[in-house]
Amino acid sequence: MLQAAEARSADKSPKPSRSTGLGRVIIAVYGILALAATVRGVYQILSKFDEAPVAYTLSLISGLIYLLATFSLSSAKPKAWLLSLWAVSIELVGVIVVGILSLTHPEIFAHPSVWSGFGQGYGYIPLVLPIVGLWWLYRNRSERHA
């Protein structure tokens, strides 16, 4: 009976934050991608938008999604987990859809975007990161989201 009580009290101990350990690395990578993609998108839109408007707009959109993911993943607020789930899921869908379209319809992407070729220009990190991020979110969900 004592062991059962100890097991119950051990289960009620607070879970580590999503922003510790591997979570900190994931957040850092999202932050780097957010900075790189947002700056790239803004520069491309301001300097040569007419050359490849779809690709440059997608670069900026991806940067904004990375910013949202970075801040929501690092937040402990109650709705942050759900916002992180949406941001990372949208990123995964975006990189897959844009990756496919950039291979099947290269004329749309006169110049590459962050997600072109499944993130080839960024070492495929845009493809791998949301998979790791979704796994991390699943692993660190609260009972309310289970």
Side-chain angles (χ1 to χ4, degrees), residues 6 47 60 85 94 118 129 134 139:
E6 288 174 359
S47 65
L60 182 58
L85 180 65
F118 304 100
L129 187 60
L134 288 172
R139 188 169 176 262

Side-chain angles (χ1 to χ4, degrees), residues 62-134:
S62 66
L64 296 175
I65 291 171
Y66 289 135
L67 280 171
L68 181 62
T70 301
F71 288 114
S72 63
L73 283 167
S74 62
S75 176
K77 292 183 179 179
K79 302 274 184 189
W81 184 89
L82 190 57
L83 186 59
S84 298
L85 180 65
W86 277 102
V88 175
S89 297
I90 290 168
E91 175 203 355
L92 180 59
V93 169
V95 76
I96 290 171
V97 169
V98 171
I100 290 169
L101 287 175
S102 65
L103 297 176
T104 60
H105 296 84
E107 67 279 0
I108 297 174
F109 299 92
H111 297 180
S113 73
V114 175
W115 292 339
S116 295
F118 304 100
Q120 180 180 14
Y122 286 78
Y124 298 101
I125 291 171
L127 178 62
V128 175
L129 187 60
I131 295 167
V132 173
L134 288 172

